[in-house]
């Protein structure tokens, strides 16, 4: 395996590694994913809340009734006023723990006990691992029809429960605890939780059970769909649940709250029309900021707990609870891996702009599909990390491919700019797969140089001295050649072989070669006067020039190739360079180059018999 193949494999491996890291980071970016889910849910219709009302213990109620906690007989009065309208359920989103403080009655809990017994009242409880397991003796039964129960419920070692004398008369007790994400944002409520191994309902589902008049819950596993842990039956209501037993709700804002909320002060003051709560599920809870029952949700940073539970009840009643399917993360991880590969392929096969455009289009299709799936099936599929991986992988791949292309182009230019005219080099750069320069005929002028007596001189010097001298000598000649638009084909001992071809916006190549020859002559004569050159006894430089049609291209096979030219003009230039020794001249030009330079002045030295070429008229160019 050659160095180029190793570099390409290393580059590919680096890209794959970067894509894998991006995939892992995107997969762990639950914050972005959940924020995207929030935005998608806002695009769906809000659940109907005509059967849900909130009685708020707000600032106005506290001002009218007094500071919280209110006397238990006052809460009993509130329950009686609500119960008079025959609601389906009265849900107290508050913890009635321990005996109440005395109000106008000597036993305030007795009045509340009677009120709870008289109506379908649901009390709230809280989870607390420090409190132990004491709770309701007979929580609502959860019947599992599937022996292979896959639920992984919120586990707690204890809870804080309502006063026992109140709890025994309640129609139901639900867990009102709420859990937020790493930033505290609440997006779901517990439907079922486990307290010391016993399954208890969340406050919202218990409110619906009491309203439905159901004795318990039926937890079944769907026969066709394997994407959820089960479906919970609550009377006539059927609700899909993920494995953690939570219920995702669509958060509402203050505009929605106002339509379903009545102040507790208005109710206790008798200023609510009769029948306002008939057939409703009524949730009673604190909304006053000073009571502290406020949580951040997707709709508001200060959402009262009671409004969160009201949103959850509305979702249950509408039977349109959004669902994050079990195992969705596995499918998304597979998609991210496939999209990383696709992005890698796009970046390597297409131009950067086209590849990024294709990646953006693919990302858009994925996001649109996730939105459509939510609207159609209420599934929550990650719309963020797969597109991020696709675009990032494409960007990394396209960048790496562009860098590799630049390096490859630089390598090509470095290899061939001394051998080919610029348009040929450009063609090779545009065709990266072009590994062999096929032979072609071109009209080229050749310039050969040689130093008189160099072999004898170099034998008397150390190799280090010869190399140092030639390095400076070659650098000067090469600069002159390239400045004139020519290319150095090779260095042979002390000789330089250069080529000049036609280039746009430049003088004809024979004239440029002859002009370069004059500059080389002046440079080499000055170079001979350097102290180190004088010490070495450096001879003068002879130059031969001729123009003609030759065949150029790669010669050789396998890893050993050389770009070279073949034709009479090459041999002629070499013979003319040697003829300078006989004529005493510095520059000899062949007849074809002379004819192609009518604007220049020459002196003819007559026809000479050049070995293998016959009689050739030789010209010496004059500097104008």
């Amino acid at each position: 395996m050659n160095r180029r193949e190793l570099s390409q494999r290393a580059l590919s491996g680096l890209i794959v590694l970067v894509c894998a890291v991006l995939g892992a980071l995107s997969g762990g970016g639950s914050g972005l994913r959940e924020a995207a889910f929030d935005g998608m849910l806002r695009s769906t219709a809000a659940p109907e809340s005509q059967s849900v009302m909130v009685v708020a213990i707000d600032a106005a109620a506290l001002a009218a009734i007094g500071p919280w906690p209110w006397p238990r007989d006052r809460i009993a009065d509130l329950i009686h006023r609500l119960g008079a309208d025959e609601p389906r359920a009265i849900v107290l989103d508050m913890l009635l723990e321990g005996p109440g403080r005395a109000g106008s009655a000597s036993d305030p809990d007795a009045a509340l006990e009677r009120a709870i017994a008289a109506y379908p009242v649901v009390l709230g409880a809280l989870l607390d691992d420090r409190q132990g397991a004491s709770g309701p003796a007979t929580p609502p039964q959860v019947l599992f029809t599937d022996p292979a129960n896959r639920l992984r419920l919120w586990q707690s070692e204890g809870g804080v429960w309502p006063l026992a004398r109140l709890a025994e008369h309640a129609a139901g007790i639900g867990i009102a605890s709420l859990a937020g994400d790493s930033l505290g944002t609440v997006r779901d409520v517990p439907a079922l939780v486990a307290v010391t191994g016993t399954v208890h309902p969340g406050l919202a589902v218990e409110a619906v059970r009491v309203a439905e008049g159901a004795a318990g819950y039926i937890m079944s596993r769907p026969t066709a769909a394997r994407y959820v842990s089960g479906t919970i039956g609550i009377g006539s209501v059927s609700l899909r649940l993920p494995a953690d037993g939570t219920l995702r709700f669509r958060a509402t804002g203050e505009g929605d709250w106002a339509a379903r909320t009545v102040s507790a002060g208005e109710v206790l003051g008798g200023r609510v029309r009769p029948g306002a709560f008939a057939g409703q599920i009524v949730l009673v809870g604190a909304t006053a900021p000073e009571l502290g029952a406020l949580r951040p949700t997707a709709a508001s940073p200060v959402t009262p707990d009671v409004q969160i539970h009201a949103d959850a009840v509305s979702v249950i009643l509408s039977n349109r609870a959004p669902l994050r399917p079990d195992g969705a993360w596995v499918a998304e991880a597979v998609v991210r891996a496939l999209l990383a590969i696709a992005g890698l392929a796009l970046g390597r096969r297409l131009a950067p702009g086209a590849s990024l455009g294709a990646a953006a289009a693919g990302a858009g299709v994925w996001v649109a599909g996730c939105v459509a799936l939510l609207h159609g099936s209420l599934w929550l599929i990650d719309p963020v990390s797969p597109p991020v991986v696709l675009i990032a992988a494409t960007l990394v791949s396209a960048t790496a491919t562009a860098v590799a292309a630049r390096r490859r182009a630089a390598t090509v230019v470095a290899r061939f700019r001394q051998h080919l005219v610029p348009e040929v080099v450009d063609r090779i750069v545009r065709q990266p797969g072009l590994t062999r320069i096929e032979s072609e005929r071109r009209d080229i002028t050749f310039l050969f140089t040689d130093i008189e007596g160099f072999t004898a001189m170099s034998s008397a010097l150390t190799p280090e001295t010869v190399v140092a001298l030639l390095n400076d000598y070659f650098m000067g000649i090469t600069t002159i050649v390239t400045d004139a638009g020519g290319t150095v084909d090779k260095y042979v001992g002390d000789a330089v072989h250069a080529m000049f071809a036609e280039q746009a916006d430049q003088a004809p190549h024979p004239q440029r070669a002859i002009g370069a020859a004059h500059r080389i002559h002046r440079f080499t004569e000055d170079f001979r006067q350097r102290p180190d050159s004088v010490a070495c006894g450096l001879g003068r430089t002879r130059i031969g020039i001729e123009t003609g049609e030759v065949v150029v291209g790669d010669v050789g096979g396998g890893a050993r190739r050389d770009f070279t030219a073949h034709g009479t003009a090459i041999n002629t230039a070499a013979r003319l360079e040697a003829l300078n020794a006989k004529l005493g001249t510095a520059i000899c030009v062949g007849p074809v180059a002379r004819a192609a330079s009518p604007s220049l002045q020459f002196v003819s030295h007559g026809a000479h018999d050049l070995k293998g070429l016959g009689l050739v008229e030789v010209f010496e160019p004059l500097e104008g």
Side-chain angles (χ1 to χ4, degrees):
M1 185 181 299
N2 58 36
R3 183 177 300 178
R4 178 180 177 183
E5 291 174 335
L6 284 172
S7 299
Q8 289 178 340
R9 292 196 177 187
L11 180 61
S12 298
L14 176 62
I15 293 173
V16 171
L17 177 62
V18 171
C19 291
V21 171
L22 287 170
L25 292 176
S26 298
S30 59
L32 286 176
R33 182 189 65 209
E34 295 301 323
F37 286 161
D38 294 338
M40 292 164 59
L41 285 171
R42 283 193 291 271
S43 70
T44 62
E48 294 289 339
S49 58
Q50 296 176 355
S51 300
V52 181
M53 292 197 70
V54 172
V55 173
I57 302 173
D58 55 9
L62 295 178
I65 308 303
W68 188 263
W70 290 343
R72 294 285 172 83
D73 54 357
R74 188 58 53 88
I75 299 175
D77 184 21
L78 179 61
I79 292 174
H80 282 296
R81 290 177 180 272
L82 296 173
D85 282 349
E86 298 185 359
R88 297 176 67 192
I90 299 172
V91 184
L92 301 185
D93 183 17
M94 61 186 71
L95 182 62
L96 300 176
E97 180 193 18
R101 63 186 180 89
S104 58
S106 58
D107 183 7
D109 287 324
L112 182 56
E113 183 180 341
R114 290 191 297 272
I116 291 174
Y119 305 104
V121 176
V122 178
L123 301 181
L126 297 175
L127 299 177
D128 190 340
D129 291 337
R130 301 167 297 178
Q131 296 297 321
S134 61
T138 55
Q141 183 180 10
V142 180
L143 175 62
F144 291 93
T145 62
D146 181 9
N149 172 30
R150 298 189 300 160
L151 290 177
R152 300 184 298 275
L153 301 179
W154 183 355
Q155 301 284 334
S156 178
E157 296 303 318
V160 184
W161 307 96
L163 183 66
R165 61 184 291 193
L166 303 178
E168 64 179 327
H169 294 289
I173 297 175
I175 303 299
S177 296
L178 299 172
D181 60 13
S182 59
L183 298 178
T185 303
V186 177
R187 294 185 169 90
D188 48 42
V189 300
L192 298 174
V193 297
V195 182
T196 62
T198 302
V199 178
H200 290 263
L203 188 64
V205 297
E206 183 69 347
V208 174
R209 183 193 67 81
V210 171
E212 287 285 313
Y217 303 93
I218 299 176
M219 191 71 193
S220 60
R221 182 175 179 181
T223 57
R226 300 298 180 185
Y227 49 82
V228 293
S229 290
T231 301
I232 184 171
I234 316 171
S236 63
V237 176
S238 180
L239 180 67
R240 301 178 304 177
L241 286 183
D244 61 1
T246 59
L247 170 69
R248 182 114 185 191
F249 62 92
R250 183 188 185 280
T252 58
E254 293 185 12
D256 298 297
W257 304 340
R260 69 187 182 197
T261 303
V262 177
S263 172
E266 296 288 321
V267 177
L268 290 171
R271 295 188 294 275
V272 179
R273 63 177 177 80
F277 303 105
Q280 303 286 315
I281 296 177
V282 182
L283 293 96
V284 182
T287 63
E290 55 265 40
L291 298 183
L294 304 175
R295 304 293 186 93
T297 64
S300 171
V302 285
T303 302
D305 285 1
V306 68
Q307 297 290 0
I308 292 176
H309 290 299
D311 285 339
V313 171
S314 296
V315 166
I316 296 172
L317 294 177
S318 69
N319 199 25
R320 290 190 57 79
L323 177 72
R324 176 85 169 142
D326 291 347
W329 65 274
V330 176
E332 290 162 359
V334 172
V335 170
R336 283 195 297 269
L338 293 176
L339 290 180
I341 296 172
L344 174 63
L346 285 174
R348 296 188 67 176
R349 293 179 179 275
L350 299 180
S355 63
L356 290 175
V365 170
W366 176 264
V367 172
C370 291
V371 173
L373 203 57
L374 175 62
H375 283 261
S377 302
L378 294 174
W379 284 6
L380 290 170
I381 303 299
D382 186 0
V384 176
S385 65
V388 167
V389 168
L390 174 60
I391 293 175
T394 305
L395 181 61
V396 170
S397 177
T399 302
T401 302
V403 170
R406 279 181 169 271
R407 289 179 177 174
R408 185 168 54 246
T411 301
V412 170
V413 171
R415 177 190 173 196
F416 291 112
R417 66 180 176 182
Q418 298 296 329
H419 308 300
L420 299 174
V421 292
E423 56 265 29
V424 177
V425 177
D426 291 341
R427 174 155 55 87
I428 299 172
V429 171
R430 289 193 302 269
Q431 303 176 45
L434 190 63
T435 59
R436 183 183 184 92
I437 308 302
E438 297 299 332
S439 299
E440 62 180 358
R441 290 185 173 275
R442 297 187 63 85
D443 193 49
I444 295 177
T445 297
F446 294 89
L447 182 152
F448 282 28
T449 73
D450 191 62
I451 301 175
E452 287 183 340
F454 183 81
T455 301
M457 179 201 75
S458 60
S459 62
L461 302 174
T462 64
E464 292 79 7
T465 302
V466 173
V467 170
L469 188 69
L470 284 180
N471 281 342
D472 293 343
Y473 175 83
F474 286 150
M475 182 178 296
I477 292 180
T478 300
T479 301
I480 294 171
V481 169
T482 54
D483 286 347
T487 58
V488 174
D489 178 32
K490 58 177 68 75
Y491 305 108
V492 182
D494 62 302
V496 177
H497 297 178
M499 300 185 297
F500 293 80
E502 196 64 39
Q503 294 187 27
D505 302 324
Q506 291 201 27
H509 52 88
Q511 296 183 26
R512 287 188 281 114
I514 294 170
H518 287 305
R519 290 192 292 276
I520 290 172
H521 175 64
R522 291 194 297 272
F523 163 74
T524 55
E525 288 300 302
D526 291 340
F527 192 85
R528 292 178 63 197
Q529 306 306 315
R530 290 182 9 172
D532 54 344
S533 299
V534 173
C536 294
L538 185 67
R540 69 189 188 109
T541 296
R542 304 190 303 261
I543 304 170
I545 298 173
E546 180 56 314
T547 300
E549 186 179 69
V550 296
V551 176
V552 294
D554 269 344
V555 173
R560 180 59 179 171
R561 294 178 186 171
D562 189 27
F563 181 86
T564 188
H566 298 274
T568 303
I570 301 172
N571 296 329
T572 304
R575 302 290 189 272
L576 291 173
E577 175 272 311
L579 186 62
N580 283 291
K582 177 181 178 180
L583 299 179
T585 56
I587 305 172
C588 281
V589 177
V592 180
R594 162 69 181 86
S597 308
S599 62
L600 303 181
Q601 295 183 343
F602 297 87
V603 172
S604 175
H605 288 274
H608 292 265
D609 186 9
L610 301 182
K611 183 178 179 180
L613 299 173
L615 290 176
V616 175
E617 186 174 5
V618 179
F619 299 88
E620 179 183 5
L622 301 178
E623 284 199 79

